[in-house]
Amino acid sequence: MPSDGVGRVCSTMNKNLLGATTSLGRSHLFVAAILSAGIVMSAPGFAVAQAQSKNENLLQTREGPELAQADTGPARLQAGQHRFDIEAQSLSSALVVFSRISGVDVVFDGVLPDGATSAGVNGDMTAASALDILLRQSGLAWSVINQSTISIANPQQDNAQSSANITEPITVTAAIRNLGPNGVPDEVYETPGSIAVITQESMRKAPVREVRDIFNNVAGVDVSNDARDPGLTVNVRGQQEMGRVNVNIDGARQNYNQLTHGTTSRVYIDPALLAEVEIEKSNLTQNGGAGSSAGIVTMRTLNTQDILDDDEDWGGKVNISHGNNSYDFAGDTSVGARVSPKFDVSAAVSRKVIGNYGPGSHNPGLFTTGNGKYYDRDSSRPEYTFLRQTSGLLKANVYLSEDQELNLGYVGSMSNYAKTNDVTNLYNDFNETQVHTLTAKHNWDPESDLINLNTGMYWTRTNNHQFRPARYTTSGTVSTSSFDNDYTLDTFGADIANKSNFVLDPVFDGTSELSFDYGTELFQDKAKTTSELGDEGGYGAAYQVEGSTPGGRRDVYGAYLTTTYGWNDLFTIHGGLRADRYSLTGDTFWCETQASSGNLCEDGGTPLDIDLSENKVSPSFGASITPFNGIQFYANYRENLRAPTVQEALLGGDHIGNVGVPFYSNANLKAEESKTSEVGVNLKFNDVLRKGDGFRAKASYYRSTIDNYTTIAYVPQPTLSGTTTFPVINTTPKQAAAIVNLTDPVYINGTELELSYDADRYYLGGTFTLNDMDLAGNYNPYVLDTAYSQYGNQTYINIIPLNQITISDPIYGGSDQLYGIYSMPKRKITLDGGFRFWDRDLLMGMRATFVTPQDNFGSSKGSSIVGQYFKYRVFDFYSAYQVNDHVTLRFAVTNMLDEAYVQGSGGTYAPAPGRTAILSLSGNF
């Protein structure tokens, strides 16, 4: 298990210890200079060695059951005393604690004896003295490899072996360092591409009101929806909605869409059930990349290994939180049991109760609409609805054999909440959303380089029962009757993937390796919407709801092959192909709103069958080079096909409330085709400013070009309205809305930076995101395969007696008629720093976020569309005190300055919660 970023424990085999850690020279000095400018404090370090020098002879002073240890010979342990407080426990666990405190890495020959326990160690002493006490009753001997690494062996096991055949370390899990403010694992900084990990440490640091909050410190990622809706809409590098980002729970896609004035795509998950979130922004040539274009967000939920320690057969964890600003209650319990070596189970349940929160009071300005109207925290309504959420999971792992395992899981949630969808936040809709996800996975990893086979199946159902109350005019009459709606989406999926590795003959005395990753996946979406209209006497019809979030079926298939060649840990090169295909079918209709058309919506309109399909083979390739230990440069390129969703292709009917704007399906809708390139660098250094510290950084620059970008826009109705009689003819198009493809490419480019420095007693980290989107694009406004009037897109005036004719420029088809385009902020900076006291029992830290939104969200004329969000800043405080091994107290204050702000990503109108203080109690048993 990870040693909290402090030291490591390694297993060894009967081979020579390989090592070659060299000085990093100028690269070390470069990083040190950067850090010295911002960190001027000192603290005792913790040591982590990387590859080490050759093994020294095993030294021992005597034999016997209480074998004394020796710190003699040419290599000596680093000097200095440490404060040790290690209880008697299993020897493996005690060595991890010893490594963390002393900074000394531990490798051992073979396997520790079954049931081996340590003696207790308490007091100030050297690492050598602590080892002598720790191993007093074990019969094991330790030797010095270098000043920060020791080897442990059982001399009774094989005295015939020479000391030259003792130890080549095989690094186990404990060797992974999780440094910085959020404990990000080192694999992130060793991957030649843009990937991010949100750890459980990060998620538990400060209780969150909504799952969107856990993404705040990730470079290149933003969340568009606001705190009133527990649904999650993830924006990766400027792209979101409609499957551009594959957001999944344990590999099961969450494809739910529901048309509103805000974001359309939503994923429902309780953060209390999450163990880790991985965000892949580079490699889509893998399962999970079918139908997507921007990234893969995998939310892994709790399993047995997340609940139990390695030496536990059963146990559990409990978390309870309460705060002000209507943070009434949040609590969760998780339990696990290793029933036998072949079977383990785990379960968790969570409950959250949140009331109508208040927004911040400082800097109350929020945004202006497309027509320039200003909104602040008061004019956008100061009460922001409630949430009642119950969630749970059940997992079972069956170890069929030494090389096969079966993982079964269920994750579910039910959320009751109220929210508004209009710019003034006047009208509440009441929702009960249920999500059920079933997964089954099988892994076969025999002792063969050719096989590491993973297969999986899943089913997800998202159902939202929404009651939309009747709406009234200022005079008290009913303007729109109530609606009772059911939105349902079922997604079925399956995938299979394998990896084959080959070790080739040496090239220029360097090791050559070749690997093949290949697999296939498929999934199917089935959507259905039903609606019942109340009898209050206002406007409304069931087809208005059923057409705006339509039913239909989508099938998506994908297959991929990637070949990777690596030489001597110096460079790698990879190339891949993925083949994608989709088909989408459904029945809809189109209609008009003027009587002269003879095709009124209330009369059923004109039937329209949609049958779309498309396929594409997309290449990808990239390379990385590691010229110095700790520095890796990389470059990647990929192409992708993004399949349209059921909602995009089958949108139809009429806008609710008899506003005279019908929705048109686009029978010629095309899939998006994107090209993305990036260059980046990973930095990973230890012992930069002091022994045992660590510096990690990841930086990248990316550019994306998207053809056939899909969004919603205003379009004309086929029949004109106006006067057509002598002596004046005056006609103008009637407005409708449709999903369209832009005829101009959309360009996105940006820079991402993530860095952290950890010196045990203190740490500092942060992210920087710079994103720019060119959303100015034209589109074909004639989306219907029917005859349009001659001046269907222009205003036409003819004063017949004077023979005076005026014809306007085209009204629809330009970027000023677009809406529903969402973009991550133009600039976002986050900082996170803190201190660890009392042997890491007390943690205190602060986070800061500075956001400058984009200034282009589509239409610049629509009165109900945001034209400009205002920039904002947010400061949070968090702390944790570990009372003992079983109890931890946490206290956090979010939005300390009580700032009023709206997350500026488009489609969001309500301000975020104001200052909120939360106290949490966590325990394990």
Side-chain angles (χ1 to χ4, degrees), residues 35 42 66 106 128 175 205 231 254 259 327 356 379 393 416 452 471 550 596 680 694 832 846 887:
L35 295 173
S42 62
E66 294 190 13
V106 180
K205 183 184 298 182
Q254 309 293 307
L259 187 67
Y327 194 99
N356 296 334
S379 58
L393 62 78
N416 290 278
N452 187 352
R471 298 183 178 181
S596 60
D832 193 338
M846 288 194 65
V887 178

Side-chain angles (χ1 to χ4, degrees), residues 544-568:
Q544 295 174 339
V545 172
E546 295 171 5
S548 59
T549 302
R553 170 175 164 173
R554 179 177 70 148
D555 297 285
V556 179
Y557 314 87
Y560 70 93
L561 169 64
T562 299
T563 303
T564 304
Y565 173 78
W567 181 77
N568 212 36

Side-chain angles (χ1 to χ4, degrees), residues 761 763 833-837 842-846 877-880:
R761 293 287 180 88
Y763 58 85
F835 297 88
R836 304 182 183 103
F837 302 101
L842 176 62
L843 170 71
M844 300 180 69
M846 288 194 65
F877 168 80
Y878 59 88
S879 62

